[in-house]
Amino acid sequence: MKPFITGHEDLVHDVVYDFYGRHVATCSSDQHIKVFRLDRETNEWQLSDSWKAHDSSVVGLDWASPEYGRIIASVSYDKLVNLWEEEPDAEECSGRRWTKLCTLNDATGPLFSVKFAPGHLGLKLGAIGNDGTLRIYEAMEPSDLRSWTLTSEVKVLPSPPASHLQSDFCLTWCPSRFSPEKLLVCALDQALIYQKDKAGKPYVAAKLEGHTALIRSVSWAPSVGRWYQLIATACKDGKVRIFKLTETLGASEDAMSVDQDEDADADAGSADTSADTPPELKVELVSESDDHHGEVWSVSWNLTGTILSSAGDDGKVRLWKASYSNEFKCMSVISAEQK
Amino acid sequence: MTANILGEKSDLFMDVDNLDFLKDSTTDINDESYMDEDNFGIDEVSGAIETQFEGEQPIKEPLSSFRAEGKALQFRVGPVLSRSLGFVSGKCQDASESKLYTPNFHGIDTTENYKQYIMTCFEIYKNLGEDRFFSVPTMGLINHSAPMEHSQAVNMAIDAMSDELEVFSGTQKPARAAELEECLAIINCSRALHFTDGNDNEEANSAVLKQLTQWVNRADGEPSEEAVAEAFSGSVSYKSPLFWRLVNQLLLRGLFDQAIGVLERSHLLKDIENTCEITFNVLNDAISLLKQYPFELGEAFREWKATALQISQFFVDSTTNVDPELRDFVSDMILLMSGNQSKTLQYSRTWYESFCGLMLFYIPTLELTEEYLQISLKAHPLDVCNNWEQACVYVIQGKLYAVLPILESLDYCTAVFYSAICEAKGLLENSSTLMAHSNGSEGLEGDLFSSNNSMACYLMHEFALELCCYEDKNLWSVGIGILALSPSDNDSAKRLAIAELLPHYPFQNNDDIEWLLTLCAKWRLPDVAKTIYRILGNKVLYENNVIEAMTNFSKAGEFEWVKHYSWMIFEASAMKGAPLEDMIIDAIVSGEAETEVAPEILESVMTNAMRQTLSPYAVLYQFYQQRVAHDWEGALSSLVSLLEFRYMPKHYISLLVAQFLYPTFLKDDTAAISEDMVIRIIKTLDRVSTDDKSVALYEALKSGEGRDDEGLPKQLGDLLPLVRQRLSYKICQEYMSVA
């Protein structure tokens, strides 16, 4: 498969695959979203449609689970989350194949990242941006995709970062269907895992410590055949970090685990240690590598959570894999430099 | 005749024991041009293999400029690994350079040949059946032949795997083929030393020696054509040390026919026949002895060796009439044949030639392999540039765990099934032993990758998951099959893995879906089945197949969705004012489904939830039929039933009134309505709403294509008074007719 031109007239911010990897959506500072469809015969990506999605740079997007149809969410510096649905009867490349379902306009600052929750949690999405607030929206009636409700609003940062400073925000949901709902939110150099308390209110269940600069990207590994979770972060401090998350029913003494009672008491006033209390999380840093010798821009796991990719300022993509002894090693490298 | 046969040296040396050598020895796998084929390099930081993106590279300028311009390299791993994409984000990007780049992954082979190889290896493993598990023979076994039968089954599996690898290797480009040849060398060495029947005997059997020579000769196809040419370059070839080096090398490698051929082709026997009878006879005896080399072994080898020693001693003690130098060469050959260690080491060029020579001529026993190896390595250190040499040393030493990472780096699939077969043979520790040794830190459950699993299980599980990153249904089946068949008895972890994987299966047709659902049933995964039904439902919905979508939503337990789409059908029909032209829907609601639709289709499509939720449409359909039949009383009764239906959404009441009640029954002065019926209608009018939805439907109804507005008022709000007015008229009409 040769490289192909996206046709974006400005820089590309995000590239996202659909559930089966047969469509790719891209977004750009040119305010457009483009969707490419894989032509099975030629094995090439073909433009399916392109449309102006926002009035400012489109910086993040995501596909909903196919359980709910073909839906894309996009976020922009225009502070809006837009939801789009594909009209299969509309012609390709007509600019009308994706119709806007609704706009969510609660953010007070430019938005950076949007991610749908995995399908088993229902049709919901999380979005975060420069106002430092995580917002979770749900389509309470999946048969009515135009109606979305803001179900949670969590201040991740006490105050928005100063506008003259560089900032970055990203989030990722725990994809496991066998683990209670949780998501990781990164705001500047903070990485916080939110879990729901008994009242359904998100609280900080754990922190991923050790980041000394902006977290550029985060990826939660699909936990296929594992009883624990793996999360990778890409950081401006030049490190690729992999954290192991274990759910424990007993009390944890791990430094990175945050006592639920403190937050829950303050927020919901309902923390006790009854049987239906969410499990506590034990976080371990299992790998930290500075192989990129510079800023790391993206991390992304494969479908089964066995291979991690990281891309950095050394102009290389590194692929990481755990050995039998559970040590992550660089298994191969893809150089992006013209030689 | 012999001369003719042996005339071509290429025939002589490149078809040894019918071994079809892959490449000639002039090909150097370290040759740059050889490696360029796949653009491999080595990353300086990690030492890992480095590839590039396909075609044009994302970073065209020097890296420092790229960074200085504020650009950033990003990468996304796709659900199908080979379709992952890299791109450049950051400042100052030229629009024409806004591209997505596909990487070249090392070790990710998407060719059909490789897929076939994987599937065949899996079949070989699967066909082992219960022999996939190694069990230590216990006292009091009823069937004493069981261990031997198990051993034979596993040996056959590794033989089959070796054959498949050979076939696969033959289809590959040189760089890849070289890696696979290294794998083959490792497997062949393992076969010789660990997968031959009768390993329990003191002396190695014929299979050991034959496979040993096959391993050495296949792994390193010496002697080369150049060496042969050099040996015969002089006017009298047998006077050259190179000639005798060649003969002895062939002997050490067990290539006896070829060694005899070389001797015969040199005319040595002919030349000395009349000059030195002793040497002539000794050589003839040696040749005869070689022809009788007892690969079958047992007592036969002792006798053979005794004869060789006798010939050797006889030659040493005899006076000969040949050049002293030639006498030494002949003596060396005879000594080598009689198992002389120093001659073996002297004439071998590599450790494996020495090893093979010692096994052939010293004492062919597996008990001395470690000793032979040490002697050989001391004389000829291994070439660390060849992966297979180090791995074969481990194989001979019985350190099979150390072989696996080397094999894994060469070919993952081979490493996986090799380890699985080794575990089946009892050469690698299995999970149950490991569990017994573990301190329980993993808990009872463990997972697919916990250290409670054996190395083979670990590799199999990893590989199974990797196969699910190809968008290939056959490989998916293999992946799930591996998980199911792996020797790990942790079924809950397997179930968990399969549950997470199945929704990602790239289904295309009904057979695929059947397969998915069968697995869901087999592994008791009802929630996963529901997810699959939801995905299917939405897929067919996008193909405008509402009924099938509803069927799937019903099976997914999404009754709200079934209800929603039933009302959508109702709405579409009511707006149209006629039945929907959908054979299946109409057949279902007409009550004639059984006669109009094949029962098996109906059974697969209709669910109880659908029967229930489609009932309002069924009544509407009945109304249409009564209308067509001019059964006005029946039609009105059906319509009123709908209006009275307690779950009828309010916005549809105004639609029914505007679309059917008013134009068909009220507007026409001649149509009489009974008093009872009028009262029933009046009661339902209390539920008529003028909310946004009702208004929107009313507007849409009025503006419908090709429709005269049936005298409907402009606003929905004006409809209700008009209807009431007409109902009053109807009551009056009724009184008048009674009077």
Side-chain angles (χ1 to χ4, degrees), chain A residues 1 4 6 11 14 17 22 67 70 225 227 300 313 318 321-324 333 335-339, chain B residues 43 49-52 54 59 67 76-77 83 85 90 98 100 446 448 453 458 462 471 534 538 542:
Chain A
M1 213 183 278
F4 65 99
T6 62
L11 61 105
D14 205 0
Y17 292 89
R22 293 169 190 163
E67 290 171 65
R70 291 172 48 179
W227 293 105
S300 139
D313 261 352
R318 296 180 180 276
K321 199 172 173 183
S323 66
Y324 183 57
V333 174
S335 169
E337 278 186 89
Q338 194 81 49
K339 286 183 180 164
Chain B
D43 172 55
I49 283 183
E50 183 176 295
T51 57
Q52 288 216 294
E54 273 187 29
I59 303 174
R67 283 199 295 251
R76 300 284 185 272
V77 180
R83 289 192 206 129
L85 291 167
S98 164
L100 300 181
L448 291 188
N453 288 305
Y458 175 83
E462 279 258 338
E471 197 189 28
R534 273 197 293 272
N538 271 295
Y542 274 82

Side-chain angles (χ1 to χ4, degrees), chain B residues 306-381:
Chain B
T307 313
L309 285 167
Q310 275 175 13
I311 295 172
S312 171
Q313 195 57 47
F314 170 74
F315 191 63
V316 170
D317 296 341
S318 306
T319 309
T320 54
N321 187 26
V322 292
D323 284 350
E325 206 179 0
L326 180 60
R327 180 193 160 90
D328 288 347
F329 286 139
V330 173
S331 173
D332 282 357
M333 186 190 89
I334 309 291
L335 283 169
L336 185 141
M337 280 175 59
S338 59
N340 184 291
Q341 206 178 98
S342 67
K343 294 299 166 196
T344 302
L345 296 176
Q346 180 188 333
Y347 282 98
S348 52
R349 296 179 185 197
T350 57
W351 66 269
Y352 43 87
E353 276 183 0
S354 313
F355 181 80
C356 190
L358 290 168
M359 281 292 282
L360 282 169
F361 301 118
Y362 193 75
I363 303 173
T365 171
L366 289 173
E367 286 192 354
L368 291 175
T369 50
E370 177 70 34
E371 199 177 313
Y372 292 160
L373 179 68
Q374 293 313 322
I375 293 167
S376 303
L377 285 174
K378 204 172 171 187
H380 305 288

Side-chain angles (χ1 to χ4, degrees), chain A residues 1-22 24 26 36 38 40 43 45 65-71 85-89 119-120 141-145 166 175-178 217 223-228 290-293 297-304 306-319 321-326 330-339, chain B residues 43-46 48-63 67 71-81 83-85 87-93 95-96 98-106 408 412 434 445-451 453-455 458 462 465-466 468-469 471 476 490 492-493 495-497 499-501 503-508 525 527-528 531 534-535 538 542 544 553 560-561 564:
Chain A
M1 213 183 278
K2 301 285 178 222
F4 65 99
I5 297 172
T6 62
H8 280 298
E9 290 170 6
D10 208 331
L11 61 105
V12 173
H13 286 285
D14 205 0
V15 173
V16 197
Y17 292 89
D18 73 347
F19 189 76
Y20 293 107
R22 293 169 190 163
V24 159
T26 58
F36 297 86
L38 185 82
R40 285 175 173 276
N43 202 31
W45 294 106
S65 162
E67 290 171 65
Y68 305 102
R70 291 172 48 179
I71 304 165
E85 186 178 30
E86 188 174 14
E87 280 292 334
D89 295 332
H120 64 271
E141 200 63 59
S143 53
D144 181 10
L145 299 171
Q166 213 182 23
S176 171
R177 62 166 62 234
F178 296 102
S217 169
S223 65
V224 181
R226 278 193 300 253
W227 293 105
Y228 56 88
D290 59 357
D291 279 10
H292 282 291
H293 290 176
W297 289 98
S298 73
V299 280
S300 139
W301 290 95
N302 71 340
L303 177 71
T304 52
T306 48
I307 298 172
L308 172 72
S309 77
S310 64
D313 261 352
D314 57 349
K316 289 177 180 178
V317 177
R318 296 180 180 276
L319 300 173
K321 199 172 173 183
S323 66
Y324 183 57
S325 53
N326 269 328
C330 180
M331 59 180 262
S332 63
V333 174
I334 304 157
S335 169
E337 278 186 89
Q338 194 81 49
K339 286 183 180 164
Chain B
D43 172 55
E44 288 171 7
V45 178
S46 63
I49 283 183
E50 183 176 295
T51 57
Q52 288 216 294
F53 283 85
E54 273 187 29
E56 190 185 331
Q57 299 302 307
I59 303 174
K60 291 155 194 82
E61 60 273 59
L63 199 55
R67 283 199 295 251
K71 295 179 181 176
L73 174 69
Q74 301 224 27
F75 191 77
R76 300 284 185 272
V77 180
V80 179
L81 189 61
R83 289 192 206 129
S84 300
L85 291 167
F87 65 101
V88 173
S89 70
K91 295 168 193 164
C92 313
Q93 195 175 2
S96 67
S98 164
K99 291 181 183 170
L100 300 181
Y101 301 85
T102 311
N104 277 314
F105 285 108
H106 174 252
E408 195 185 342
Y412 199 7
L434 286 166
E445 289 174 325
D447 62 34
L448 291 188
F449 306 104
S450 83
S451 52
N453 288 305
S454 65
M455 182 74 98
Y458 175 83
E462 279 258 338
L465 299 195
E466 190 176 286
C468 297
C469 298
E471 197 189 28
W476 261 84
N490 192 340
S492 60
R495 181 171 168 268
L496 182 142
E500 295 279 8
L501 285 172
H504 294 272
Y505 178 72
F507 66 88
Q508 279 167 342
L525 300 166
D527 284 345
V528 176
T531 299
R534 273 197 293 272
I535 293 173
N538 271 295
Y542 274 82
N544 283 326
F553 291 143
E560 280 303 312
W561 293 9
H564 171 77

